[in-house]
Amino acid sequence: MAEDDDFTRITLRIPNSLHARLNEATAKKRSMNAEIIARLEDSFVSGQRFAAGVGSVTEILASVIQRVADDMRREGKSPEEFSAWMRSFPDFAPHMPPPETETPRSK
């Protein structure tokens, strides 16, 4: 690195266990420095999205639930089976909408 480049050198002390995890994450992919920089940059971007309400935990959870519902539908499961699955998570059960009923398609 040239002295007039766009980087600042720092000394970083991290726990041995975190260092080991970083070594595992960087194996044959990129340098530890590049990994640390990428993770720091991602944390700032994620923090900005969260602060802006984009990618919030609620939206992520809703997306996961929708994927499960889509998978269950493809597997031929009924809306009632999906509701039963959701009720298996007591924290969500009070917020559950009633199951949708599918109407037969006209031929």
Side-chain angles (χ1 to χ4, degrees):
M1 265 193 277
E3 287 188 34
D4 61 344
D5 64 12
D6 206 19
F7 292 86
T8 301
R9 290 182 178 266
I10 63 169
T11 300
L12 180 65
R13 291 172 41 108
I14 60 174
N16 291 333
S17 59
L18 181 56
H19 185 258
R21 289 171 56 196
L22 280 167
N23 271 332
E24 289 174 20
T26 61
K28 299 180 183 175
K29 286 192 232 173
R30 54 185 166 192
S31 70
M32 187 173 298
N33 190 68
E35 183 72 16
I36 291 169
I37 290 170
R39 287 174 181 252
L40 279 171
E41 287 177 344
D42 286 348
S43 72
F44 286 114
V45 170
S46 296
Q48 290 168 352
R49 280 195 311 240
F50 186 76
V54 178
S56 69
V57 173
T58 303
E59 290 173 333
I60 293 167
L61 183 57
S63 173
V64 169
I65 290 171
Q66 185 61 54
R67 287 183 194 166
V68 169
D70 293 344
D71 288 345
M72 290 179 82
R73 192 175 305 111
R74 276 193 293 278
E75 293 171 6
K77 306 285 186 191
S78 70
E80 291 77 19
E81 288 173 293
F82 173 75
S83 293
W85 176 79
M86 283 295 295
R87 282 191 300 278
S88 70
F89 302 96
D91 292 339
F92 299 123
H95 309 288
M96 286 280 305
E100 295 179 21
T101 53
E102 294 182 348
T103 56
R105 294 182 192 157
S106 55
K107 295 182 180 181

